[in-house]
């Protein structure tokens, strides 16, 4: 089975803090993705990566950055967290057949 | 540009009734189409996918979907709803191949009553 793990299920941070969300997959997939999920808006793509050290902006990259130093790990960084970044964050990795998702991190910024 | 529209943000059915969740897409090229399910406080789980093989696709948990090019639709059905089917369902499209970034619909919450 494909396994995608995320470092935290729930996270509470203060405005202005730097936040790291970690994602690890164990299937040697080249493609990895970060989405944000908000009620009534579905999932929106923040960043994605097709290879180590490679990154591409998705639909809503503002306020976020990413890092992919190793194939299995894809990190999402909030440089200075704001309250409008309170959301559910979902990581995914994909083969040529489908995307597989982690359990999500529910981030609250106060 | 590709897009996905899920008709109805909430659908309610009785246990044992037919489940029909609607999804329409727009794509300038033959698409790859997916349905995912999300249970409360969990990630998304792949239900089924269409990748240009058979137009009727069978998935897990008794769900199936039919690709209709003329109607640009990929509706999800299940003949008999079970209480455990209560969840949020997302339709998604990928324009290139199954492994690239997906475009998601806004989701449909399915409620099942006894």
């Amino acid at each position: 089975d494909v396994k995608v793990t995320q470092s935290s299920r729930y996270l509470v941070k203060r405005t202005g803090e730097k936040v790291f969300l970690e994602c690890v997959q164990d299937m040697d997939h080249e493609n990895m993705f970060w989405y944000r999920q908000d009620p009534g808006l579905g999932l929106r793509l923040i960043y994605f990566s097709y290879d180590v050290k490679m990154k591409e902006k998705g639909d809503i990259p503002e306020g976020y950055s990413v890092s992919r130093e190793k194939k299995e790990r894809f990190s999402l960084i909030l440089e200075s967290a704001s309250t409008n970044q309170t959301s559910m964050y979902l990581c995914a990795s994909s083969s040529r057949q489908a995307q597989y998702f982690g359990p999500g991190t529910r981030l609250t910024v106060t | 540009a590709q897009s996905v529209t899920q008709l109805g943000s909430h659908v309610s059915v009785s246990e044992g009734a037919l489940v029909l969740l609607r999804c329409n897409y727009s794509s300038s090229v033959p698409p790859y189409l997916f349905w995912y399910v999300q249970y409360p406080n969990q990630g998304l789980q792949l239900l089924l996918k269409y990748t240009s093989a058979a137009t009727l696709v069978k998935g897990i948990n008794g769900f199936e979907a039919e690709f209709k090019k003329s109607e640009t639709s990929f509706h999800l059905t299940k003949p008999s709803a079970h209480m455990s089917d209560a969840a949020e369902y997302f339709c998604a499209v990928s324009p290139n191949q199954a492994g690239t970034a997906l475009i998601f619909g806004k989701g449909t919450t399915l409620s099942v009553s006894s």
Side-chain angles (χ1 to χ4, degrees):
Chain A
D1 276 355
V2 176
K3 191 151 180 132
V4 180
T5 57
Q6 294 184 229
S7 50
S8 304
R9 293 298 306 275
Y10 300 92
L11 208 53
V12 180
K13 295 292 181 181
R14 293 192 179 276
T15 302
E17 278 193 82
K18 190 169 186 176
V19 182
F20 293 87
L21 303 183
E22 305 284 339
C23 175
V24 177
Q25 50 98 0
D26 67 355
M27 285 304 293
D28 202 37
H29 289 163
E30 292 182 348
N31 304 341
M32 295 188 75
F33 308 84
W34 275 106
Y35 294 90
R36 170 178 171 159
Q37 182 182 12
D38 299 288
L41 297 179
L43 277 76
R44 294 178 290 168
L45 182 64
I46 305 172
Y47 268 96
F48 59 100
S49 169
Y50 289 150
D51 203 350
V52 176
K53 296 192 184 295
M54 177 269 179
K55 60 185 178 185
E56 293 285 345
K57 292 180 180 179
D59 299 320
I60 52 165
E62 296 78 19
Y64 304 95
S65 62
V66 291
S67 172
R68 192 159 181 209
E69 297 296 320
K70 294 185 178 181
K71 191 174 186 179
E72 68 271 17
R73 189 180 298 269
F74 191 36
S75 302
L76 180 70
I77 303 157
L78 287 65
E79 295 289 343
S80 178
S82 64
T83 54
N84 63 11
Q85 292 178 310
T86 291
S87 187
M88 169 75 100
Y89 291 88
L90 292 164
C91 174
S93 72
S94 70
S95 64
R96 289 184 174 272
Q97 302 303 314
Q99 283 193 21
Y100 300 92
F101 284 81
T105 295
R106 187 167 294 281
L107 173 67
T108 302
V109 182
T110 61
Chain B
Q2 284 73 26
S3 66
V4 175
T5 302
Q6 291 184 240
L7 298 175
S9 58
H10 287 87
V11 171
S12 296
V13 300
S14 299
E15 195 171 21
L18 171 72
V19 175
L20 171 60
L21 304 183
R22 299 177 187 274
C23 173
N24 288 88
Y25 70 91
S26 69
S27 177
S28 57
V29 298
Y32 293 87
L33 293 159
F34 305 83
W35 275 99
Y36 283 86
V37 61
Q38 184 180 35
Y39 299 102
N41 296 314
Q42 294 188 25
L44 274 67
Q45 180 182 3
L46 180 65
L47 267 181
L48 49 80
K49 61 186 178 187
Y50 167 76
T51 56
S52 75
T55 57
L56 182 62
V57 181
K58 293 189 184 298
I60 62 171
N61 301 340
F63 284 93
E64 63 182 35
E66 186 172 9
F67 173 68
K68 292 187 176 180
K69 184 178 179 180
S70 61
E71 299 177 9
T72 61
S73 68
F74 190 57
H75 301 331
L76 182 71
T77 60
K78 182 174 180 178
S80 177
H82 192 273
M83 297 292 285
S84 60
D85 294 326
E88 190 161 20
Y89 293 79
F90 292 93
C91 181
V93 63
S94 172
N96 300 318
Q97 57 173 298
T100 57
L102 297 176
I103 299 164
F104 284 87
K106 292 188 164 84
T108 298
T109 299
L110 175 67
S111 299
V112 183
S113 58
S114 58

